[in-house]
Amino acid sequence: MHCLWCDQEIIPEVTWQYLLFPEPPRKICSNCERGLVLLAGKRCSSCSRVTDQGICNDCRRFENDSAWKNVLTFNKSIYSYNGLLQEMITKWKYRGDYQLREVFSYHFRDLFNQSFGKKQVVVVPIPLSEQRLLERGFNQAESLAQLLETPYQHLLTRIHGEKQSKKTRRERIESENPFQVLAQVSNPVVLIDDIYTTGTTLRHAARLLKDTGCPEVYSFTLARG
Amino acid sequence: MTNLFTSIHSFFNPTYDWIPQVVNNSKHELEESYPNRYAGKLLLQTEISLEQSTFTHLLSANYFTAVTAIEKHLFGHRCRRCGNQTKRMFASFPCARCGTTHVYCRRCIEMGQITSCQPLYYWTGPTPVWKAQEKACQWVGELSRYQKKASERIAMTMKRGNDELLVWAVCGAGKTEMLFDGIGKSLKQGKRVCLATPRTDVVRELLPRFHTAFPSTIISGLYGGSEDKDGNGQLVLSTTHQLFRFAHAFDVVIIDEIDAFPFHAEPTLSFAANRAAKQDAARIYLTATPRKMQRQKVEAKKLKAVFVPVRFHGYPLPVPKLQMDFDLKSALKNYSPPKSFFSWYHKRVNRQRQLLIFVPTIKLAEEMVAKLANTLNLDKGDAIHHVHASDPDRAERVQQYRDKKFSILITTTILERGVTFPSVDVVVIDAGHVVFDEAALVQIAGRAGRSPNDPTGEVIFHHDGKTTAIVQAIKSIKKMNQRGRKL
């Protein structure tokens, strides 16, 4: 096995334990894995950002705004959005190195099961607009959702607009809701996306789902930007 | 059955017959700059900066031809852009564009994804015409007797085309100057010339020299992070990695440092270099330390060669001195050079010279800066710096060192070849380390004594046990000096 990121050969340490309970082959070498930092310690209970405050300022602003209050129950992110992860996401999402998603598969599945495993949830990847999908060739959120054992559903569509990453926070919050709901659900929903930056995209989707009768909406994302 | 054999054979021996020939030769209604901009390149549609409607028109009129980017073989694939054949470097993905799952190449993905529904486009319109130049080469300077002989051979090979020549010249023989005459004559004939070298630093160093020597020629410099991305010049100076976009583009291909690490270790680079050359191109290979395979080819007369055993200033190559250090390993643990280094340092013959220190690892280069500054009582920010491959300020540091802004530079093997500093002493710490192979050591020793004003420099190898590489390197330097004396 070679590391998916740096292409170094990964040589597993063969111990008695390894012989008796062989682990699944690793996709990334220990050196690169060290660069991926799992979010840990004191975090915002609403959006996973590392903070001492209990709930961070951005989330407080959302909760004080009647339009956004209680739309998203909470967001769970896995990694801190550091330089290495940024590079990986760029190569995976924009350059189109589809296979790189496997680097995240172990933690993605593990943390999902920890957070939502016991709940009866419906997994919904955030869609791309038709145009963006043709441009990119694949939907990164959907390809992450495929890593989970829980099956996923397409409940949303997206109307084409400018890239979120090109906008400021204010522009994002004030922008129109780009989503449309395809079907109703009565179970809680977990939205899947790659990065939680301001949380606006996810809240837009969540609000629509809630308006059509979904009891609760969570989100599960790869990185907290 | 024969099909099976050809399929297997072509997996191991890349062919280039898939590169399309000129289809539409009419210049009618065609913008004049197109052939020069697009000919000889394999491009993604996103890399062709034309309006969609213009592009569709050119494609339907066969000015562009789509080329399947990935070859399928009996047991694997080959990427036609980067030559990759490694199985793990291909992956498949479900494509939303065409609804099928297909293969893409992971090795050259930074240049944009290529799949079966994203072909590469090749210019099959009229061939580009370059402005004929009466006197392309403006370089004025004297060549030594041996340089002159080599220069003539090079010019002859370039003129004849469809031929190969190995130029075996010692470090500091003045290889670049030997090329000028031939390149000038080729440009005059309207030929397109490429000089490929494995290292970015070398392209950066050569570019201004070529601009002065060929002032009226359009010259492109291509390297990772260069401003010029297209390479539309008649003369292209490029790192070998940047050749991944070219196919049947050049009449003359010069490959510098044919033995250097990336070229030597990555078969994909020679795939790219061979593809970049036209079928009837002249190929010139430059080296100071040919690998065994090349030497055998020369001895078997399968490869023509010309030998330049003397430096351009006529002085012999400095022979490295060996220094056995029993404390080397313990010193390296503290990121410090061995004791003998300091006693040598305080009694150096010529203190005016700058000091170039080679270490085997990046970590060592970084840590040794502070250690040396401390022990030698030097100002860390002023007198001593380090460079390595992933250093963002590398180009700037090297330039500052060349301008004598500071006196000691600690480096990994990235500066082993190509770069010229006029007056340095060279020290290799832990010369027995595996990264220092024979070619690397010969090249490193060749950094000293490059200038006619200071043609001798000291070269010291610190080791704790001679390796074959050390012994062979010294033997080969002495042998070259001997050959130089005989002439």
Side-chain angles (χ1 to χ4, degrees):
Chain A
M1 205 40 216
H2 288 249
C3 175
L4 275 179
W5 183 246
C6 67
D7 203 32
Q8 285 285 331
E9 194 170 2
I10 304 169
I11 299 160
E13 207 178 315
V14 179
T15 57
W16 283 110
Q17 194 184 347
Y18 180 86
L19 281 177
L20 293 170
F21 310 101
E23 291 167 24
R26 288 147 49 90
K27 303 288 183 187
I28 180 170
C29 70
S30 48
N31 223 350
C32 295
E33 193 160 27
R34 235 171 282 144
L36 289 175
V37 182
L38 286 171
L39 290 170
K42 281 189 179 168
R43 282 185 286 160
C44 171
S45 58
S46 173
C47 73
S48 277
R49 173 189 276 179
V50 177
T51 175
D52 283 336
Q53 285 176 312
I55 184 158
C56 73
N57 288 339
D58 280 352
C59 291
R60 208 167 283 156
R61 267 153 79 189
F62 274 121
E63 290 309 311
N64 289 338
D65 187 338
S66 59
W68 296 108
K69 195 171 161 56
N70 282 336
V71 164
L72 190 70
T73 311
F74 65 78
N75 166 64
K76 189 97 200 160
S77 296
I78 304 172
Y79 302 107
S80 102
Y81 195 42
N82 59 5
L84 180 71
L85 190 63
Q86 269 183 45
E87 276 177 51
M88 281 185 178
I89 287 184
T90 310
K91 194 170 175 190
W92 168 58
K93 178 168 143 184
Y94 298 113
R95 301 272 176 280
D97 195 354
Y98 186 79
Q99 206 192 12
L100 266 185
R101 69 177 182 157
E102 289 170 20
V103 167
F104 316 118
S105 66
Y106 175 77
H107 288 302
F108 200 77
R109 197 175 301 163
D110 197 38
L111 260 117
F112 182 86
N113 289 343
Q114 269 179 38
S115 310
F116 307 104
K118 293 198 182 84
K119 296 179 182 134
Q120 282 293 316
V121 291
V122 176
V123 173
V124 177
I126 292 287
L128 290 180
S129 65
E130 189 71 9
Q131 190 180 337
R132 186 82 65 232
L133 187 63
L134 289 182
E135 217 173 272
R136 220 167 263 170
F138 69 100
N139 177 356
Q140 75 276 5
E142 191 182 334
S143 77
L144 284 176
Q146 285 163 354
L147 297 174
L148 302 172
E149 286 134 343
T150 329
Y152 62 93
Q153 289 181 25
H154 290 291
L155 293 181
L156 301 163
T157 55
R158 190 180 198 152
I159 302 146
H160 189 69
E162 214 186 318
K163 272 185 192 159
Q164 286 286 319
S165 51
K166 297 256 164 79
K167 294 181 196 159
T168 63
R169 181 174 196 271
R170 205 197 176 116
E171 280 168 359
R172 286 178 179 214
I173 291 171
E174 285 170 1
S175 62
E176 247 179 76
N177 199 327
F179 298 105
Q180 278 176 343
V181 176
L182 293 173
Q184 284 192 344
V185 267
S186 49
N187 283 28
V189 164
V190 181
L191 294 167
I192 305 284
D193 205 359
D194 54 344
I195 312 167
Y196 179 106
T197 313
T198 63
T200 316
T201 314
L202 290 160
R203 279 189 172 81
H204 271 304
R207 190 160 67 181
L208 272 179
L209 287 168
K210 277 207 135 171
D211 287 349
T212 50
C214 175
E216 259 188 301
V217 184
Y218 312 94
S219 67
F220 187 57
T221 51
L222 203 58
R224 176 65 180 88
Chain B
M1 199 64 188
T2 22
N3 266 344
L4 184 74
F5 283 128
T6 26
S7 165
I8 296 172
H9 183 259
S10 68
F11 184 69
F12 293 106
N13 302 285
T15 52
Y16 304 97
D17 48 12
W18 47 270
I19 301 172
Q21 304 288 325
V22 176
V23 181
N24 184 347
N25 210 0
S26 105
K27 287 193 180 136
H28 188 60
E29 279 182 72
L30 199 65
E31 208 164 293
E32 214 180 311
S33 68
Y34 285 174
N36 293 22
R37 254 157 75 189
Y38 299 120
K41 286 182 206 161
L42 292 165
L43 296 170
L44 284 171
Q45 202 198 327
T46 46
E47 291 173 311
I48 301 168
S49 49
L50 292 173
E51 294 280 321
Q52 180 65 39
S53 57
T54 325
F55 178 72
T56 325
H57 169 71
L58 289 174
L59 190 62
S60 61
N62 286 329
Y63 284 114
F64 279 108
T65 302
V67 177
T68 317
I70 293 172
E71 282 173 17
K72 179 139 183 42
H73 288 273
L74 201 59
F75 28 73
H77 296 89
R78 180 189 288 118
C79 171
R80 281 177 171 170
R81 179 165 62 182
C82 71
N84 169 30
Q85 279 176 284
T86 317
K87 222 169 199 162
R88 64 168 187 281
M89 284 311 221
F90 289 101
S92 57
F93 90 116
C95 176
R97 284 176 285 253
C98 61
T100 50
T101 297
H102 46 59
V103 175
Y104 69 93
C105 172
R106 296 190 63 224
R107 172 155 291 163
C108 56
I109 191 124
E110 288 296 339
M111 300 166 75
Q113 194 190 42
I114 44 171
T115 60
S116 50
C117 73
Q118 296 260 84
L120 293 166
Y121 293 98
Y122 190 77
W123 179 256
T124 44
T127 44
V129 179
W130 303 96
K131 210 176 73 197
Q133 297 168 47
E134 222 12 75
K135 201 172 182 317
C137 181
Q138 300 284 341
W139 182 73
V140 275
E142 279 285 313
L143 289 178
S144 74
R145 190 152 57 92
Y146 309 106
Q147 277 179 307
K148 205 173 244 163
K149 200 179 107 206
S151 173
E152 277 161 16
R153 282 283 297 278
I154 291 169
M156 215 164 72
T157 312
M158 286 182 184
K159 191 178 166 207
R160 203 183 310 135
N162 209 0
D163 204 0
E164 293 182 314
L165 179 70
L166 179 82
V167 181
W168 182 350
V170 294
C171 305
K175 284 183 286 235
T176 317
E177 286 78 11
M178 296 190 280
L179 295 171
F180 282 157
D181 182 42
I183 293 179
K185 282 177 183 155
S186 304
L187 293 175
K188 199 170 141 188
Q189 292 176 320
K191 286 183 176 175
R192 198 170 182 197
V193 182
C194 170
L195 171 60
T197 163
R199 276 158 217 250
T200 306
D201 303 87
V202 181
V203 180
R204 282 210 203 94
E205 193 190 287
L206 288 181
L207 207 52
R209 284 166 73 184
F210 273 85
H211 272 300
T212 342
F214 302 96
S216 54
T217 308
I218 310 163
I219 304 176
S220 300
L222 298 178
Y223 49 88
S226 62
E227 277 166 40
D228 188 342
K229 294 266 178 242
D230 305 329
N232 296 337
Q234 186 182 5
L235 174 59
V236 176
L237 307 183
S238 160
T239 57
T240 32
H241 279 95
Q242 299 293 324
L243 291 179
F244 284 158
R245 279 199 185 88
F246 292 98
H248 285 181
F250 302 105
D251 305 279
V252 174
V253 174
I254 304 156
I255 298 172
D256 190 18
E257 314 278 10
I258 185 88
D259 62 297
F261 156 66
F263 231 106
H264 173 61
E266 270 193 57
T268 59
L269 289 177
S270 62
F271 170 85
N274 284 333
R275 185 193 56 204
K278 286 188 184 167
Q279 283 128 309
D280 58 349
R283 294 150 213 252
I284 313 282
Y285 309 122
L286 309 178
T287 176
T289 43
R291 302 267 167 188
K292 204 170 175 186
M293 202 185 73
Q294 292 141 0
R295 278 193 295 227
Q296 282 169 347
K297 265 187 170 175
V298 171
E299 269 157 36
K301 306 234 184 261
K302 280 186 185 153
L303 180 63
K304 290 174 198 164
V306 53
F307 194 74
V308 187
V310 200
R311 294 189 144 186
F312 75 96
H313 51 53
Y315 288 84
L317 296 159
V319 179
K321 282 185 216 133
L322 291 180
Q323 175 62 50
M324 174 80 170
D325 291 298
F326 292 105
D327 64 333
L328 187 68
K329 284 283 176 288
S330 59
L332 288 184
K333 257 188 204 144
N334 300 320
Y335 306 113
S336 162
K339 272 188 203 135
S340 59
F341 168 80
F342 294 103
S343 48
W344 168 81
Y345 180 81
H346 293 297
K347 299 184 293 208
R348 275 164 80 191
V349 183
N350 184 344
R351 281 164 194 248
Q352 298 305 313
R353 281 183 203 143
Q354 288 172 293
L355 184 57
L356 192 57
I357 301 176
F358 284 87
V359 291
T361 60
I362 293 175
K363 176 92 180 142
L364 210 52
E366 284 169 350
E367 302 285 342
M368 202 178 273
V369 170
K371 204 81 191 178
L372 263 185
N374 225 334
T375 338
L376 298 176
N377 273 330
L378 295 168
D379 190 350
K380 191 182 155 202
D382 266 2
I384 176 162
H385 283 293
H386 68 85
V387 285
H388 55 76
S390 44
D391 189 344
D393 324 318
R394 169 169 139 205
E396 206 180 314
R397 287 267 171 79
V398 171
Q399 192 51 47
Q400 283 171 353
Y401 184 69
R402 197 171 287 145
D403 298 341
K404 302 205 170 178
K405 294 264 166 64
F406 58 97
S407 58
I408 302 180
L409 183 64
I410 303 180
T411 171
T412 57
T413 49
I414 51 155
L415 291 187
E416 83 182 30
R417 50 177 83 219
V419 285
T420 307
F421 306 112
S423 175
V424 289
D425 280 333
V426 178
V427 171
V428 183
I429 310 273
D430 198 6
H433 195 283
V434 279
V435 301
F436 298 118
D437 58 13
E438 183 196 333
L441 288 170
V442 173
Q443 291 283 357
I444 286 171
R447 296 310 101 198
R450 298 293 283 249
S451 150
N453 301 324
D454 183 18
T456 56
E458 285 186 81
V459 181
I460 315 237
F461 290 172
H462 290 273
H463 67 100
D464 58 356
K466 276 192 256 185
T467 55
T468 322
I470 298 179
V471 177
Q472 288 296 336
I474 293 179
K475 211 166 130 190
S476 114
I477 291 173
K478 283 184 175 159
K479 201 171 157 193
M480 276 189 265
N481 281 343
Q482 216 174 25
R483 280 181 85 156
R485 267 197 303 274
K486 263 191 228 153
L487 290 165

